[in-house]
């Protein structure tokens, strides 16, 4: 998953207003105000984007939205997920003609009413924190959703779309945490192979059209593609692109790089693999020398690691599994060499040995070449198998939330790669009833702790899981959701990076001397 704190700070967060003049006196000069530490304040605006789940017959999609209980900033606020309605040329012309002094005959009001009529009602509306709300659709043409939360509902706002596809060669459970818009995404683990149909969905939340570029990298380097350059994404709309149409090369393991020109988008890849299953592939966290990929289920039958070094230098990394009791290196795969701008992959098979685990990648030697990575995880075998993806992710940090959890089938994975850590896990009230529950866990250094969340008392509907780091080292987390359909344990895995619900705001001091000559 993309680095959520950076994404939220860069493009989706408005800070609480700060008044007063900043002193211009140089530090150390007489009369200079005493420096004060930055304040940690809740954000007042958050944006999320959910790609279209459509295109699958007989599929049922559930949207779940929640803001963790706690103090937020500003007014009560709202949190809504609404259909992406493309901005047309006529809309742009109307906006260009209108001014404060041009509505003497009331035509402007009629134009506004006509334009407002085109806006569809929100699919999901959240009115209070600490309790999720849900909505469902079976529409094959369900659009992408654009969401905004303000006021006290903004800090930590989370949403998920979960789709059950019960039939077809790529039947399965698709889950995705709706993400913040950004300008740069890495997706190791995609494919243009003949058994795969991978669609990348690009969603533009703003009114103005933007241009996106897509680069594809296989095991031998960049894949030839002229189509991926200069893709126009109209305002407030979503564009799905089949990766295999962007190149003539059929490659099993591909890394996809998406960048934008002058705007922000949401990006995710819908993977459909013949006879194996389907799920969403979320973006890896930003390139880093060390990565953690948490939450491999104990009953995983196959695990494949895909990694990529985007810079000019090759990378050599140590591969470790952080198991139930201690870290260890997979036999024969204790290191991985990743050539610059070439996708590397390794089959770790049933590396967990019947226990839960997480993968940690660290540099070999003194170098720390930045990389991105993801895991393809298989459960079951033959016609009963299903797939899911785990991208490298940032730590939980202060707090992280995953929205859609059920009374049965939710498992939380907690990993402490460096030092012992203590975390608080809150299960929210249910969307239709129930009381929240809180439990604290200690995770030993170098291990993965798998827990079944404390189900809220009197639970009805779905609930949210919120993880908070209380002490110790960093913790990485993921949630596995399982739904049994037709005898198949369909599953999806979502990571829990820091929600970016609070940010540092420098303290300022009122100094009227700056107004003097």
């Amino acid at each position: 998953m993309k680095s959520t704190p950076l994404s939220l700070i860069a493009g989706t967060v408005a800070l609480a207003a700060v008044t007063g003049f900043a002193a211009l006196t140089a530090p150390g000069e007489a009369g200079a105000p005493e420096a004060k530490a930055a304040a940690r304040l809740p954000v007042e605006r958050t944006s999320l984007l959910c790609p279209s789940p459509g295109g699958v017959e007989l599929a049922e999609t559930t949207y779940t939205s929640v803001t963790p209980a706690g103090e937020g900033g500003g007014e009560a606020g709202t949190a809504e997920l609404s259909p992406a309605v493309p901005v047309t040329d006529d809309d742009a012309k109307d906006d260009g003609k209108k001014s404060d002094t041009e509505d003497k005959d009331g035509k402007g009001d009629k134009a506004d009413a006509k334009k407002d009529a085109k806006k569809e009602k929100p699919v999901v509306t959240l009115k209070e924190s600490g309790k999720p709300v849900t909505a469902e659709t079976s529409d094959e043409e369900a659009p992408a959703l654009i969401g905004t939360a303000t006021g006290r509902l903004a800090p930590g706002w989370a949403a998920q779309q979960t789709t059950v596809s019960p039939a077809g060669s790529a039947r399965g459970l698709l889950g995705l945490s709706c993400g913040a818009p950004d300008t740069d995404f890495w997706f190791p683990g995609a494919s243009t192979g003949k058994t795969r149909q991978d669609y990348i969905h690009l969603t533009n939340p703003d009114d103005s059209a933007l241009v996106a570029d897509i680069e594809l990298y296989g095991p031998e380097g960049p894949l030839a593609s002229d189509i991926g350059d200069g893709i126009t994404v109209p305002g407030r709309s979503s564009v799905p692109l089949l990766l295999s149409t962007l190149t003539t090369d059929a490659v099993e393991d591909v890394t996809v790089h998406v960048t934008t020109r002058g705007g922000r988008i949401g990006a995710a890849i819908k993977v459909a693999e013949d006879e194996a299953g389907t799920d969403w592939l979320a973006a890896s966290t930003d390139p880093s020398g060390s990565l953690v990929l948490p939450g491999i289920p104990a009953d995983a039958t196959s695990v494949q690691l895909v990694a990529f070094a985007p810079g000019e230098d090759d990378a050599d990394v140590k591969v470790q599994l952080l198991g139930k009791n201690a870290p260890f290196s997979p036999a024969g795969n204790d290191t991985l060499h990743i050539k610059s701008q070439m996708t590397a992959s390794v089959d770790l098979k049933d590396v967990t040995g019947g226990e839960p685990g997480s993968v940690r990648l660290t540099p070999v030697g003194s170098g720390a070449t930045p990389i991105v990575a993801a895991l393809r995880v298989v459960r079951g075998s033959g016609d009963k198998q299903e797939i899911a993806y785990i991208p490298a992710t940032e730590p939980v940090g202060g707090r992280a939330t995953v929205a859609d959890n059920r009374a049965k089938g939710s498992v939380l994975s907690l990993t402490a790669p460096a030092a012992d850590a203590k975390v608080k896990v809150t299960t929210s009230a249910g969307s239709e009833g129930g009381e929240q529950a809180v439990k604290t866990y200690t995770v030993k250094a170098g291990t993965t702790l798998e827990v079944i969340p404390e189900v809220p008392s009197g639970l009805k509907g779905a609930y949210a899981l919120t993880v908070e780091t209380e002490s110790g080292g960093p913790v990485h987390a993921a949630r596995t959701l399982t739904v049994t359909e037709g005898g198949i344990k369909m599953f999806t895995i979502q990571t829990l990076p820091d929600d970016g619900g609070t940010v540092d705001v420098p303290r300022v001091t009122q100094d009227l001397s700056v107004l003097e000559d």
Side-chain angles (χ1 to χ4, degrees), residues 169-171 189-199 242 244 249-253 270-278 304 376 385 387 389:
S169 60
R171 77 288 174 274
S191 176
T192 60
K194 294 181 179 180
T195 61
R196 291 269 290 267
Q197 285 194 325
D198 290 11
Y199 280 86
L242 181 60
S244 60
D249 298 324
V251 180
E252 291 302 322
D253 298 315
K270 182 190 287 185
V271 173
E273 185 173 347
D274 292 347
E275 310 303 330
T278 182
Q304 181 189 30
R376 174 184 176 272
Q385 67 179 307
I387 60 171
Y389 289 86

Side-chain angles (χ1 to χ4, degrees), residues 44-136:
E44 288 189 343
R45 185 181 179 88
T46 301
S47 296
L48 294 176
L49 303 174
C50 309
S52 168
V56 183
E57 295 183 358
L58 305 177
E60 295 282 345
T61 296
T62 300
Y63 298 100
T64 308
S65 171
V66 68
T67 295
E71 294 184 2
E75 301 176 353
T78 60
E80 296 179 340
L81 289 167
S82 301
V85 179
V87 176
T88 66
D89 291 339
D90 290 338
D91 292 335
K93 290 177 182 178
D94 289 342
D95 287 342
K97 291 178 181 179
K98 186 177 178 181
S99 73
D100 293 337
T101 59
E102 291 177 348
D103 195 24
K104 296 179 180 179
D105 56 2
K107 292 182 178 179
D109 292 336
K110 294 179 181 179
D112 283 346
K114 184 177 180 181
K115 190 172 180 179
D116 288 341
K118 293 175 63 178
K119 296 180 180 179
E120 299 191 34
K121 294 181 179 179
V123 174
V124 184
T125 300
L126 184 68
K127 296 182 179 180
E128 61 178 313
S129 62
K131 179 182 178 181
V133 295
T134 63
E136 297 180 349

Side-chain angles (χ1 to χ4, degrees), residues 341-359:
Q341 300 193 16
M342 297 183 184
T343 299
S345 65
V346 58
D347 186 0
L348 301 177
K349 301 180 181 179
D350 54 346
V351 65
T352 62
E355 294 184 354
S358 303
V359 169

Side-chain angles (χ1 to χ4, degrees), residues 68-69 130 399-402 405 412 423-429 435-441 453-454 456 463-468 470:
R399 183 183 63 186
T401 297
V402 62
N405 297 276
L412 178 64
V423 297
K424 181 174 74 173
V425 177
T426 301
T427 52
S428 75
E435 300 293 331
Q436 78 167 29
V438 179
K439 195 166 184 178
T440 300
Y441 300 92
E454 190 84 8
Y463 68 90
L465 270 177
T466 297
V467 181
E468 299 173 79
E470 291 199 323

